[in-house]
Amino acid sequence: MRLRFFSCFAAVALAGLAHAAQAPLRAPRLADGRPDLQGIWQSSGNTGAFNLEEHPAAYGTPAGASVIVDPPDGKLPYLPGMREKAVENSKNRWRDPVGRCNPHGAPRFVLPPFPFMIVQDREYVVFLSETSHDVRIIPMDGRPHVKDYWAWEGDSRGRWESDTLVIDVTGFNGKTWLDQAGNFVDENLRVVERFTMTGPDTIAYEATVDDPTVYARPWTIRATLRRAPKDVELLEYACLEGERDAPHYPK
Amino acid sequence: MRPIIRSSLALAILAAALSAAAAPQNRGGVPDLRGIWQAEVTANVNLEGHAAQAGIPAAKSAIVSPSSGRIPYKPDAVARRRENFARRAEADPQTKCFQAGVPRATYAGAPFQIFQTSDRVVIVYQDVHAYRIIFTDGRPHYEGIEFYMGDSRGRWEAGTFVVDARNFMAGTWLDMAGNYHSEALHVVERYTRTGPASMTYEATIEDPNVFTAPWTIRIPLRRLTAPDAQILEDQCVEDANGLPRHVPPFKNR
C-alpha cells in the first residue's frame, strides 16, 4: 500500500516537474484562494461501478482491477459471514436500490459512468449528479451533523485540509449498495472523502469507508476524476416519471 | 437647526441601511438570492384560491393577472382540468413523486435552496431532490430536448432575476386541483428580493394550447434564517405495492 502510494505520488510529482518546464502545475483557484473544483467530472479508467474488487469479465461486466488501495490485497475486509450476503446480493441484482431510482450514496456516486457537477458557493459545496438527479449539499461552515439523520445520501460536512476538500459523511440509512456486485454497508457506515486537484482537469478522489458491523477494519478506494469536455452540461434524468418496472419485480 | 440636520443625517443613514437590507447585493453587483426559501402560501392546493379544508385554511387566488384571479382556459381545455380534479388523488403526478415542474416546484410545499456562481444559478428543491441549472451567460436554449423541470436561462434586470423557462414535458400539473399545461408551456419567472428574509416570486405562464392569454401568479417567499436550516433528503421509494411514497430521513418516524 505504502509503496503504491509513494509511486503514485512520485508519478504526480514527476508530471508536475515536466509541466513546470512550461508553466507551474497549478489548480485553478477561487477568489478566496481555495481550489476551484467547479465543473463537470466523471471517473475514468476503472470499473468500480461493477465491482470494487478485482473481477473477471462476465455477462454485462467488463473485467477490472480493484479500486481498493487499502487493504493492500484489494479485497473488502468483510467480517466473518458478511461476504456471503454480498454473494447473495450478486445473485439477485434486481435488488440493487439504484434500479428503483434510489440514490447511489457515497462513495458509489463518483464511480458510475455518469457525470456530476461540483458547485462552490462560499459556505457550500454542492454535488449534482445527473443520475437520478441526486444532490448532496455540503455545508463548509463547521456546523455539526444533523441528529438522528437516516438517509440514502447521508449527511455531509466539508472542510479544507490545505488544498484538499475533505467530506465527512454519516447518517446513512445503510440501504445502499457499493457497486453492482452487491457489496454492501449498513447504517453504521461512515465515509470520509478526499478531493484533491492534481491538475486543471483532474481530481484525485479517495474515500475511506468505515462500517464496524460489516467490515473488520476501515478500507480505502481511490479513483481519478476527469473534467468533462467543455461543451458537456448536465441535462435531466427522470426515473420515477414513467416508471413501469415495479409491478414486475419479485415480491 | 442642529437637531434637524442630525435627524436628517440619521434618516439618510437609516434609508441607506434599509435599501441595503431590501436588496442585498452579491459580490458581482447582482442581487443576492442565496439561501433556503419557502413559499408562505397554500397555492399548491389550488392556484385559483380555495375554500378551507381539512388541515388547510382557505386562501385567495395567487393569480394577480388577470384581475379576476381565474386561469384563462380555452373553452375546450377546461374539461381536462375537471377530469384531473376528479381523479386528483391518484392522478396528480406529485403523488407519484414526479419532479414538480415549473413554477409548481416553487410552491409545492418544501423549501428550496438557491446557489449563485459567476455563470449560473442553481436551485435545489427539497421535493424529490429536483434541481435546476439556470445559465446566466446568455447561451441559447437547447433545441429538441424536453425537460420536466424546463430548460432555463436567467438574466438580471435591475433588482430582479428573470428566468425564461421553456422546452417542458407535458404531464406535470400546476397544482393539486388539476390545473395543467401542455408541452407548449413557457414560463417567465421573476425573483425580487424585498428584504433580508423575504422575496417576491412572480411567474407568467403562457401556453397557447391550453390558455387564451398569458397569466401571472405572485407568491411571497420567506428565507429560513435558522443557522442550522438545511435542505433534507426527500427520497421517494416504492412500498410493497409498488406505490411511491416519501420517506423522511430520520429513523423511527
Side-chain angles (χ1 to χ4, degrees), chain A residues 47-65:
Chain A
T47 58
F50 297 96
N51 192 338
L52 295 178
E53 297 182 330
E54 184 178 68
H55 54 274
Y59 177 71
T61 301

Side-chain angles (χ1 to χ4, degrees), chain B residues 16-83:
Chain B
L18 277 176
S19 80
Q25 298 291 300
N26 202 354
R27 211 171 2 209
V30 297
D32 188 348
L33 307 181
R34 296 175 312 154
I36 301 177
W37 298 91
Q38 188 155 23
E40 296 194 276
V41 293
T42 56
N44 193 36
V45 175
N46 189 341
L47 286 172
E48 287 191 335
H50 50 87
Q53 48 187 283
I56 302 164
K60 290 193 285 189
S61 175
I63 299 157
V64 292
S65 170
S67 56
S68 66
R70 296 276 170 190
I71 298 172
Y73 276 98
K74 290 170 75 173
D76 58 354
V78 190
R80 167 87 184 276
R81 190 247 306 250
R82 274 196 296 269
E83 288 161 26

Side-chain angles (χ1 to χ4, degrees), chain A residues 110-127:
Chain A
V110 304
L111 294 175
F114 293 98
F116 71 100
M117 188 167 103
I118 301 181
V119 176
Q120 283 166 272
D121 188 359
R122 292 197 226 177
E123 65 270 36
Y124 290 99
V125 173
V126 186
F127 295 156

Side-chain angles (χ1 to χ4, degrees), chain B residues 12 24 45 89 106-107 111 114 121 127 131 137 143 168 200 208 227 249 251:
Chain B
V45 175
T106 310
Y107 50 81
I114 301 181
V121 168
D127 181 51
Y131 62 75
D137 57 1
E143 299 261 359
F168 282 98
T200 296
K251 211 174 172 185

